[in-house]
Amino acid sequence: MNQKGSITINGKTVPMEGEKNLLALIRKSGVEMPTFCYHSELSVYGACRLCIVDIEGRGIDTSCSTPPRDGMVIQTHTPKLRKMRKTLIELLLANHDNSCTTCEKSSACKLKELACDLGVKEIPYKKTREHRQPDLLSTSLIRNPDKCVLCGDCVRYCHEIQGVGAIDFAYRGEDVVVTPAFNKSLAQVDCINCGQCAAVCPTGAIVPRSEIEEVWTALADQNKSVVAQIAPAVRASIGEMFNLPESSVTLGKIMSALKYLGFKEVYDTSFGADLTVLEETHEFLERSKTGENLPLFTSCCPGWVKYAEQFHPELIPHLSSCMSPQGMVGSLAKKLLTKTEQKGEKDIIMVSIMPCTAKKFEKTRPELNRDAVPLVDYVLTTQELGKMIKEAGIRFSDLAPSSADLPFGLYSESGLGFGSTQGVSEAVARYASRALNGEDLTSFVPEEKECWKEVILKEDNLDIRMAVVSGMKNAETLIQKMAAGNVSYDIVEVMACPGGCVAGAGQPVSYDKDILKNRTAALKEAGKITPIHCPEVNPYIQRIYEKVLGGKPGSPEAHALVHTHYQSRKRIDNTPMELISSDHMTPVEINVCVGTSCFLRGSQEILSGMTQKMNQEDWKNKIELKATFCSENCSHGPTVTIGDKKIHRATLDSVTEEVAQQLALRDKQEVLV
């Protein structure tokens, strides 16, 4: 790639300054080139073809995949190019579910915006795809295949940034679709509910699951007391939906809006974050005394927790047992409100306002129930709250601010810091310093590593090595480095969404590349003017400990109310897929696990080999071959079950030998009968 020189764009000379493709130079020149599939943090795909340009001497090519060269002369909006772009949009619309007025993404749909910008006034082409049923099983997301334009943004993000691969392309040619493995639901595969697929989707093909109607119903029920809690990152983003200055901190207006909507009490999740700092730091210091279950991994991000349960169950003992701040506020609020409201916990409805779609899954965890009553009943994303405010006709920008209700409305700067990456680890480190040394840290300066940040603290009695990572593929790289002994840490903060909660999939859709930086900066500024800077001096935190939590962090009462536990989770629904059937009365049944771990260890080769052997050996019609999707023995794969016998670290030879033995035994038994 040339670093020097210039190119000519529509007659204008544009200097090259290290741009990796023509698209970047075109946009730098002031031309807004349309794209569907281009994201600077993802690999170049070039599928949508909307960014085509006419390059002198080369003809038409995609600008996103073409590196600039000194002296290039390009045109971006010739009659031919404009007609081609318009035709591409018309073709997409022909097979698209065009129920735009009722679509969840209507106000931020890139397809609708481009159709308008490119002057599409009719759809001259016939629909060629059959209707496909939407996927409604996930607690966090809804997937509508009829709205998919095959841009591949969700596929690449899930693979390249999150390293999960819960969704991918399937089939070929005109039959190609984007789908989870084996056409299953997102709820049945290894989706961690981070929702970043929905965040990058340019249409309404994947959207956060809405709980607006359920909340309206609860608010209208006179027998219920409906209360709310607001996560830190929400206050720095909801103003974007009401044309307020970018990243304005609008907590006071949110409080007023929620009271207008009918919420009886409104709390701040930052209070739960303050509590998390105290409990998690105590937990770390206690573990440090024995050296057990270190490093300690943070547990406030439900996307990360589910990832650990699915892909790294060996790390479950290392997860902090603290509930997330959402769970803590839900648990304590329901316990206290039963007394003040004179109602049972099932009649106290807790609604969380979160930037995160994974929180919708988290509230359904059985561990976050008390006596079969959820600690959090509903989760609304920032987007959903904005829609409710608009539906109620509230002029958000004109609202006078009001304060949160006590005791869960007062918080510290540390608690507010949970809204972005690094906030949790810094809060824990600073409190640990005050607990061990009697004073705050002199500095907290992370050092950039391969794909994470490192903080090494050595001040008097404090000696901690910390890692901060966001984005699950980055986290996986760090985990592998730690497992190999290349790096070592005492505390690891993990956030599923790159940048932390400010980048949650429930936040307002924005195509501003600086939006995350601006939201983070707004939260930091809000923290500086917060009257309380240390969670342990929050008077209402102190009062909660005195009256409810046994007087100190880590008490039995605290463990009963604000701690939890985790479980190993199957990565895909375990319904077997029959590959070769038999009508024999007593066939030998072979189940080969093709879950991610077993697949990588060779289960595909076993399936292929067994299929071939059935044609070569005298096994026809005597065995049934099935693929299963999790045997819960990930570290011992490939795992194959033959009849009642389970073989770990199976090979084609060991499976063949066992099948032959079981067939011989069965034949003998049949002769005796």
Side-chain angles (χ1 to χ4, degrees):
M1 179 173 62
N2 266 330
Q3 298 295 322
K4 297 179 181 180
S6 63
I7 67 172
T8 302
I9 302 174
N10 300 330
K12 177 182 177 181
T13 300
V14 181
M16 296 164 54
E17 298 172 317
E19 291 82 4
K20 64 182 180 181
N21 54 37
L22 287 177
L23 179 61
L25 276 165
I26 292 167
R27 288 178 169 171
K28 185 175 79 171
S29 75
V31 176
E32 187 51 50
M33 181 67 68
T35 59
F36 259 139
C37 66
Y38 181 77
H39 292 269
S40 58
E41 71 272 25
L42 300 178
S43 63
V44 175
Y45 187 45
C48 70
R49 321 302 291 176
L50 290 172
C51 68
I52 49 176
V53 294
D54 195 337
I55 305 172
E56 188 176 280
R58 288 179 52 175
I60 293 173
D61 206 345
T62 51
S63 60
C64 69
S65 60
T66 304
R69 297 186 184 280
D70 184 30
M72 272 186 170
V73 177
I74 68 170
Q75 296 290 326
T76 64
H77 292 81
T78 65
K80 184 176 182 179
L81 291 172
R82 287 189 288 107
K83 183 177 180 181
M84 289 175 69
R85 290 193 190 107
K86 188 174 181 179
T87 300
L88 286 167
I89 294 294
E90 289 170 344
L91 287 167
L92 289 174
L93 288 169
N95 280 315
H96 191 71
D97 177 352
N98 295 315
S99 54
C100 298
T101 55
T102 57
C103 179
E104 288 283 338
K105 200 71 173 279
S106 181
S107 61
C109 177
K110 201 70 175 173
L111 179 59
K112 190 173 80 169
E113 176 188 324
L114 288 175
C116 180
D117 290 349
L118 297 178
V120 175
K121 296 181 173 60
E122 60 180 349
I123 305 172
Y125 305 105
K126 293 182 179 179
K127 192 178 187 72
T128 59
R129 283 180 174 264
E130 295 182 358
H131 168 67
R132 289 162 289 172
Q133 292 296 324
D135 174 7
L136 305 175
L137 295 183
S138 170
T139 56
S140 298
L141 301 162
I142 288 178
R143 191 174 63 87
N144 188 337
D146 286 350
K147 295 181 181 180
C148 179
V149 293
L150 301 175
C151 66
D153 292 355
C154 60
V155 173
R156 286 177 293 141
Y157 203 102
C158 195
H159 281 263
E160 297 173 14
I161 307 298
Q162 298 301 59
V164 175
I167 195 166
D168 208 335
F169 288 103
Y171 311 118
R172 295 185 178 186
E174 63 179 13
D175 296 323
V176 69
V177 295
V178 171
T179 179
F182 306 105
N183 283 321
K184 290 182 176 290
S185 165
L186 285 171
Q188 297 171 311
V189 295
D190 45 12
C191 173
I192 61 171
N193 301 299
C194 70
Q196 289 300 316
C197 53
V200 298
C201 178
T203 67
I206 306 179
V207 295
R209 188 182 193 95
S210 176
E211 297 177 47
I212 290 175
E213 289 307 315
E214 292 91 333
V215 174
W216 279 127
T217 300
L219 288 168
D221 190 338
Q222 298 300 313
N223 296 317
K224 307 291 185 184
S225 292
V226 186
V227 299
Q229 59 170 304
I230 304 166
V234 174
R235 71 204 67 197
S237 60
I238 195 169
E240 298 162 19
M241 299 182 69
F242 298 94
N243 299 317
L244 292 176
E246 191 177 77
S247 301
S248 299
V249 175
T250 56
L251 179 63
K253 292 180 182 294
I254 297 171
M255 297 293 178
S256 297
L258 288 168
K259 289 296 181 71
Y260 270 112
L261 291 174
F263 288 90
K264 192 163 188 177
E265 300 270 304
V266 182
Y267 308 129
D268 201 308
T269 313
S270 302
F271 179 94
D274 275 355
L275 199 56
T276 301
V277 174
L278 303 189
E279 290 294 322
E280 197 164 279
T281 305
H282 176 270
E283 184 180 14
F284 167 69
L285 294 177
E286 289 298 305
R287 291 190 190 188
S288 297
K289 293 176 183 178
T290 63
E292 293 182 358
N293 296 329
L294 290 176
L296 180 143
F297 285 82
T298 59
S299 60
C300 56
C301 172
W304 149 241
V305 169
K306 189 166 186 282
Y307 182 93
E309 290 178 320
Q310 291 176 170
F311 295 101
H312 290 285
E314 75 279 4
L315 293 181
I316 289 176
H318 294 263
L319 290 172
S320 167
S321 65
C322 291
M323 288 181 183
S324 71
Q326 167 184 252
M328 288 188 177
V329 173
S331 175
L332 293 171
K334 287 209 172 189
K335 183 173 180 62
L336 295 184
L337 288 172
T338 54
K339 299 176 182 178
T340 59
E341 295 293 311
Q342 297 295 303
K343 291 180 178 178
E345 290 193 3
K346 67 180 179 61
D347 292 322
I348 297 168
I349 305 301
M350 171 59 73
V351 179
S352 296
I353 317 298
M354 295 284 142
C356 171
T357 54
K359 292 291 183 184
K360 291 177 178 284
F361 168 79
E362 183 186 56
K363 72 177 172 58
T364 67
R365 294 179 68 103
E367 302 91 349
L368 292 187
N369 278 249
R370 187 160 54 228
D371 299 326
V373 177
L375 303 180
V376 174
D377 297 275
Y378 302 109
V379 172
L380 297 174
T381 62
T382 311
Q383 295 177 38
E384 288 171 83
L385 176 59
K387 290 176 181 178
M388 288 186 72
I389 292 171
K390 291 179 179 181
E391 186 176 346
I394 298 170
R395 291 199 293 269
F396 186 77
S397 58
D398 294 340
L399 287 175
S402 60
S403 58
D405 292 296
L406 299 173
F408 308 114
L410 192 63
Y411 57 90
S412 73
E413 179 183 7
S414 291
L416 194 59
F418 276 48
S420 59
T421 183
Q422 189 181 309
V424 181
S425 55
E426 182 170 357
V428 168
R430 291 189 179 281
Y431 177 55
S433 177
R434 294 191 295 271
L436 294 175
N437 298 332
E439 59 183 9
D440 207 336
L441 291 172
T442 56
S443 66
F444 187 91
V445 182
E447 180 184 346
E448 293 286 346
K449 293 297 180 179
E450 181 181 335
C451 58
W452 67 90
K453 296 179 182 179
E454 177 182 272
V455 185
I456 300 175
L457 302 170
K458 291 185 179 181
E459 295 187 13
D460 296 333
N461 298 317
L462 184 69
D463 187 355
I464 306 178
R465 296 176 61 87
M466 310 182 81
V468 178
V469 64
S470 63
M472 294 319 308
K473 191 167 187 179
N474 290 339
E476 181 63 30
T477 299
L478 175 58
I479 290 168
Q480 295 301 329
K481 295 277 187 181
M482 293 173 68
N486 297 328
V487 292
S488 175
Y489 297 104
D490 303 302
I491 299 176
V492 182
E493 176 198 308
V494 186
M495 296 286 182
C497 298
C501 300
V502 290
Q507 296 280 63
V509 176
S510 175
Y511 299 102
D512 181 353
K513 61 183 176 60
D514 295 322
I515 195 67
L516 300 186
K517 180 175 67 176
N518 294 336
R519 290 172 183 169
T520 300
L523 277 181
K524 288 187 179 297
E525 288 302 311
K528 291 177 182 177
I529 61 173
T530 301
I532 300 172
H533 297 285
C534 305
E536 70 271 24
V537 301
N538 183 334
Y540 288 96
I541 288 284
Q542 295 171 353
R543 192 173 301 179
I544 284 290
Y545 272 111
E546 291 169 6
K547 294 189 173 183
V548 182
L549 296 179
K552 61 181 181 180
S555 68
E557 293 86 351
H559 271 274
L561 286 172
V562 296
H563 287 252
T564 185
H565 61 277
Y566 313 101
Q567 59 177 304
S568 177
R569 290 182 181 272
K570 294 181 178 180
R571 292 196 297 275
I572 195 164
D573 185 84
N574 61 3
T575 305
M577 176 179 290
E578 190 172 88
L579 303 177
I580 297 177
S581 61
S582 169
D583 56 11
H584 195 283
M585 291 183 63
T586 56
V588 172
E589 188 173 305
I590 307 170
N591 288 284
V592 181
C593 178
V594 292
T596 304
S597 181
C598 287
F599 186 88
L600 292 174
R601 287 177 166 88
S603 62
Q604 177 64 33
E605 287 76 7
I606 294 174
L607 276 176
S608 177
M610 290 305 298
T611 302
Q612 292 178 15
K613 282 187 173 295
M614 290 182 66
N615 294 323
Q616 297 169 5
E617 309 282 350
D618 187 24
W619 289 357
K620 289 184 179 179
N621 204 38
K622 294 182 179 180
I623 71 171
E624 284 187 351
L625 183 62
K626 298 179 181 180
T628 59
F629 305 111
C630 200
S631 64
E632 293 299 315
N633 291 283
C634 301
S635 61
H636 303 292
T639 299
V640 179
T641 304
I642 306 169
D644 295 328
K645 183 171 182 179
K646 187 165 288 189
I647 303 176
H648 299 304
R649 297 187 176 90
T651 64
L652 180 58
D653 289 341
S654 64
V655 171
T656 301
E657 182 180 349
E658 179 61 30
V659 171
Q661 289 177 5
Q662 291 201 21
L663 281 173
L665 179 61
R666 192 204 63 186
D667 291 343
K668 283 183 180 180
Q669 291 172 341
E670 288 182 352
V671 169
L672 292 174
V673 172

